[in-house]
Amino acid sequence: SSSSLEEQKKCIEEMPLDELGARISWYVSKDNLAKQGRSQVQQKYIDISSDGLGKILWERFLSVCRNIPVADNFYLSLWFRGVRGYDPVDKPHFTAPYLTKEGFQKLKGLVNRVSVRTISVEDALISPDIPKFTKACLSNIFEYFSAKAAEVIFDLLGSSMASGSRIAYWELYASRRPSPDGKLHYLRDLSERLAQIDRVFWYDDFRVYEVK
């Protein structure tokens, strides 16, 4: 592994970038994903061509490799180095928090609080049978909603969660943002700091909002 970001940049430029870029572009193309069983309906709201998806991800890959030290990013380190990226000898705690022994014990003690519901996000937010949420980790669900539907969910999050509650989500191909005039306040510094810690190149942005 590289000892500095400058050394890492040099290593990246020495890699067979043309071949690697072509393979990434092929793998994430809509046609190839469809052959692997992923329905193209999932990309209904992504206004990008099949070839365009690969180009976008390749540019993100290069940007991350040139700007985020792999040595400080366990996700990216894992992608490059395999399982060695999770527990190097010199960094015994270099791993996702939930994979550490301490994290496992904490989660084990909370397992009885887990409730699985097969309902929509909207119904979960307004259901009288579900306690009010103070945190919402939404992954990249907005990729699969129209801009109008995302707007409805953002409004529900702002109106149904208590002041000070937080939501977090990734953006992949589709940009979805709550109205600046709504009840969700963007935490820019926190969002950017967290993105630097654990970001891999698939995602475009990581966003954390707080209910006003």
Side-chain angles (χ1 to χ4, degrees):
S1 60
S2 302
S3 59
S4 68
L5 188 57
E6 289 304 315
E7 185 179 334
Q8 179 177 307
K9 290 179 181 179
K10 177 184 277 189
C11 290
I12 291 299
E13 299 307 324
E14 294 174 351
M15 295 173 63
L17 296 180
D18 290 341
E19 180 180 353
L20 185 57
R23 288 180 178 271
I24 289 177
S25 296
W26 165 80
Y27 181 80
V28 301
S29 67
K30 292 180 180 179
D31 291 340
N32 184 56
L33 291 179
K35 290 178 182 178
Q36 297 185 48
R38 178 166 182 168
S39 172
Q40 294 196 23
V41 174
Q42 291 181 300
Q43 298 180 326
K44 178 179 179 180
Y45 299 108
I46 298 173
D47 189 23
I48 305 172
S49 68
S50 182
D51 292 339
L53 297 180
K55 181 179 180 182
I56 288 172
L57 285 184
W58 177 237
E59 290 174 349
R60 290 177 188 170
F61 171 80
L62 290 177
S63 177
V64 169
C65 290
R66 289 166 175 161
N67 294 287
I68 300 179
V70 174
D72 297 329
N73 185 321
F74 57 81
Y75 288 128
L76 197 55
S77 181
L78 176 67
W79 196 85
F80 275 113
R81 301 164 57 192
V83 294
R84 289 182 301 156
Y86 268 96
D87 193 21
V89 175
D90 59 336
K91 290 185 178 181
H93 298 294
F94 184 60
T95 183
Y98 67 90
L99 292 175
T100 63
K101 292 181 179 179
E102 295 86 352
F104 173 78
Q105 291 301 322
K106 181 177 181 179
L107 292 174
K108 183 179 179 181
L110 298 173
V111 70
N112 290 331
R113 294 174 57 183
V114 175
S115 174
V116 179
R117 308 290 182 101
T118 54
I119 58 178
S120 69
V121 176
E122 297 94 322
D123 288 342
L125 290 170
I126 64 176
S127 173
D129 300 324
I130 300 178
K132 296 298 183 182
F133 296 99
T134 57
K135 303 176 184 66
C137 183
L138 302 174
S139 188
N140 66 320
I141 66 168
F142 295 113
E143 299 290 311
Y144 314 111
F145 291 100
S146 67
K148 184 64 177 178
E151 183 180 331
V152 171
I153 294 174
F154 283 131
D155 287 343
L156 278 174
L157 288 164
S159 62
S160 66
M161 298 174 71
S163 176
S165 300
R166 291 183 176 182
I167 71 167
Y169 65 93
W170 287 98
E171 289 183 341
L172 184 57
Y173 296 121
S175 178
R176 299 285 187 263
R177 313 285 173 84
S179 168
D181 299 323
K183 295 190 64 176
L184 298 180
H185 170 63
Y186 177 46
L187 302 178
R188 180 183 300 278
D189 290 345
L190 178 61
S191 299
E192 293 178 351
R193 179 171 60 81
L194 292 176
Q196 289 294 316
I197 294 174
D198 65 5
R199 182 186 164 189
V200 293
F201 68 89
W202 299 110
Y203 297 99
D204 180 43
D205 201 4
F206 179 66
R207 303 185 72 81
V208 182
Y209 287 83
E210 186 170 273
V211 179
K212 297 177 183 177

